Amino acid sequence: MKGHFRKRGKSWYVWFDLGPGPDGKRRQKSVGGFATKREAEAAFAELRDQHRRRSGGVPTSKLTLGQYLMEEWLPVVAARLRPSTWATTRRYVTAHICPAFGDVSLQGLTTAQLNAFYAELLAGGRRDGRGGLAPESVRHIHGIVHKALADAARWGYLARNPATHARPPVRRRVEMKVWSPDELRAFLRHVSNDRLYAAWLLMATTGMRRGEVLGLRWVDVDLDAARISIVQNLTVADHQVVIGEPKTAKGRRPVALDPATVTALRSHLRTQQAERAALGRRWQETGLVFTLSDGSLIHPSRFSRWFEQRRRETDLPRIRLHDIRHSYATAALAAKVAPKVVSERLGHNNVIATLDTYSHVLPTMQDEAAATVAALVLAHAGISRPGSPAAP
């Protein structure tokens, strides 16, 4: 079944073949009135799927989207998702996707229905009735729908994925809020007597994620070599603290430490040893570097609240705890640390991700690179630059 697209006036139309009729003659049908070619393509794809199901290309099924998601798809993906990702996926499925489409036929779901669904979520998707979901949340839901339906197509339930041509909200780049090196230094001075000073300093000097800091074990710390190894991550799933592997393979990485951070970690180790000795059998051994005063895990949300409390005690601009990571990366790139090195220290999958995230630092780096290289080339070529003495 082939389609041909053409624009008439301001609208797009699609003509497609239905196959020969009883008399053997060619049969065609047209559908129009679409604002864009993309909408016409999506409509044609749905008509083609209906034709394939009627002609036996994909077996007809009475399975609803809710049954497919809850009984087939979620149990399968649970084994390959990180606990926190699995918890988020299940929450979005049960709180938003199933209430909207739980009774809709899996094979009857259309791109137009998905587009309307995303618009409704943006307008009033919050469960507390206080407005719409953030665009990033709606994009996340679209990602879940797209993956689930892609699996349905692979498993033979669908001829095509109706989410492929859906239009979730456009990702908007939010202006990054960071502290300057002077502001970071002011914060560290303010918390210099804090019990978790070494944790704040470690984040500021390495750009480690919150979960990586809270999941760091003493067995992965070599203070003599000034190195740590990030091999696990502490996250939250269904309101419970979970220790798991880093989000990506690149997340498992060695990180070099500066002398000041090593000194702070040595001091923290002595404090923890004293706390362990004072509590005796009441000490909860986890092997972690940063714990509560009884040795138990620190909940990530609690750690973030502590940061905000200490930030409010200063006159520093408001930023999130995670923005310390951004502040570190911005300072490193501005200091001309090679992007590849910054990328490796941050645990990014590749240097492109680093440069894209911190593109706001690049213009000045580009200007400096242009001036430096030009000066080197022109000097070696004996060519004078404007404003400089002519070469003899």
Side-chain angles (χ1 to χ4, degrees), residues 81-317:
L81 295 179
R82 298 168 67 240
S84 58
T85 305
W86 155 247
T88 301
T89 299
R90 184 179 60 187
R91 185 174 71 252
Y92 279 139
V93 167
T94 57
H96 297 289
I97 301 171
C98 280
F101 298 120
D103 296 330
V104 174
S105 166
L106 173 62
Q107 294 183 338
L109 184 67
T110 67
T111 301
Q113 287 176 307
L114 290 174
N115 286 335
F117 173 52
Y118 300 149
E120 290 171 3
L121 290 177
L122 287 170
R126 287 179 56 128
R127 298 182 69 188
D128 59 8
R130 299 173 60 184
L133 293 180
E136 275 306 304
S137 296
V138 179
R139 287 187 63 85
H140 196 157
I141 290 172
H142 167 71
I144 293 171
V145 171
H146 190 280
K147 181 67 176 70
L149 296 180
D151 286 339
R154 277 193 292 272
W155 298 346
Y157 288 122
L158 298 174
R160 61 174 284 278
N161 183 349
T164 299
H165 293 287
R167 308 184 78 171
V170 176
R171 178 180 284 110
R172 286 180 169 79
R173 186 178 293 274
V174 179
E175 184 180 356
M176 191 176 294
K177 295 181 179 180
V178 299
W179 278 345
S180 68
D182 288 341
E183 289 169 331
L184 266 177
R185 191 159 45 249
F187 175 77
L188 292 172
R189 280 198 301 267
H190 177 72
V191 297
S192 59
N193 294 321
D194 193 279
R195 178 178 171 275
L196 293 176
Y197 169 70
W200 310 125
L201 181 62
L202 187 63
M203 293 191 74
T205 58
T206 64
M208 288 171 63
R209 300 176 177 91
R210 176 184 67 178
E212 293 170 346
V213 171
L214 296 180
L216 184 65
R217 304 175 300 180
W218 282 116
V219 294
D220 300 317
V221 178
D222 188 339
L223 294 177
D224 293 331
R227 290 284 189 282
I228 60 174
S229 297
I230 299 175
V231 298
Q232 66 178 30
N233 191 42
L234 194 149
T235 57
V236 178
D238 289 333
H239 308 290
Q240 299 296 318
V241 178
V242 177
I243 295 179
E245 295 185 350
K247 188 174 182 180
T248 63
K250 290 288 187 180
R252 295 177 64 93
R253 63 196 189 277
V255 176
L257 303 177
D258 64 279
T261 303
V262 170
T263 299
L265 285 170
R266 289 190 190 279
S267 176
H268 179 76
L269 176 59
R270 291 192 294 270
T271 298
Q272 192 180 80
Q273 289 171 336
E275 291 171 341
R276 182 188 291 109
L279 286 180
R281 292 183 178 180
R282 290 177 295 162
W283 176 263
Q284 300 184 41
E285 187 56 63
T286 59
L288 297 177
V289 175
F290 301 109
T291 66
L292 297 176
S293 57
D294 64 353
S296 58
L297 297 170
I298 298 176
H299 195 288
S301 296
R302 192 175 189 179
F303 191 58
S304 292
R305 287 196 300 272
W306 286 343
F307 169 74
E308 176 55 20
Q309 289 169 5
R310 283 146 184 75
R311 200 258 344 144
R312 282 201 305 263
E313 295 165 358
T314 71
D315 59 355
L316 293 170

Side-chain angles (χ1 to χ4, degrees), residues 331-357:
L333 290 170
K336 302 184 182 62
V337 176
K340 181 78 163 60
V341 174
V342 177
S343 178
E344 290 173 351
R345 285 178 66 81
L346 292 174
H348 283 168
N349 273 335
N350 53 62
V351 71
I352 295 175
T354 307
L355 295 176
D356 182 57
T357 304

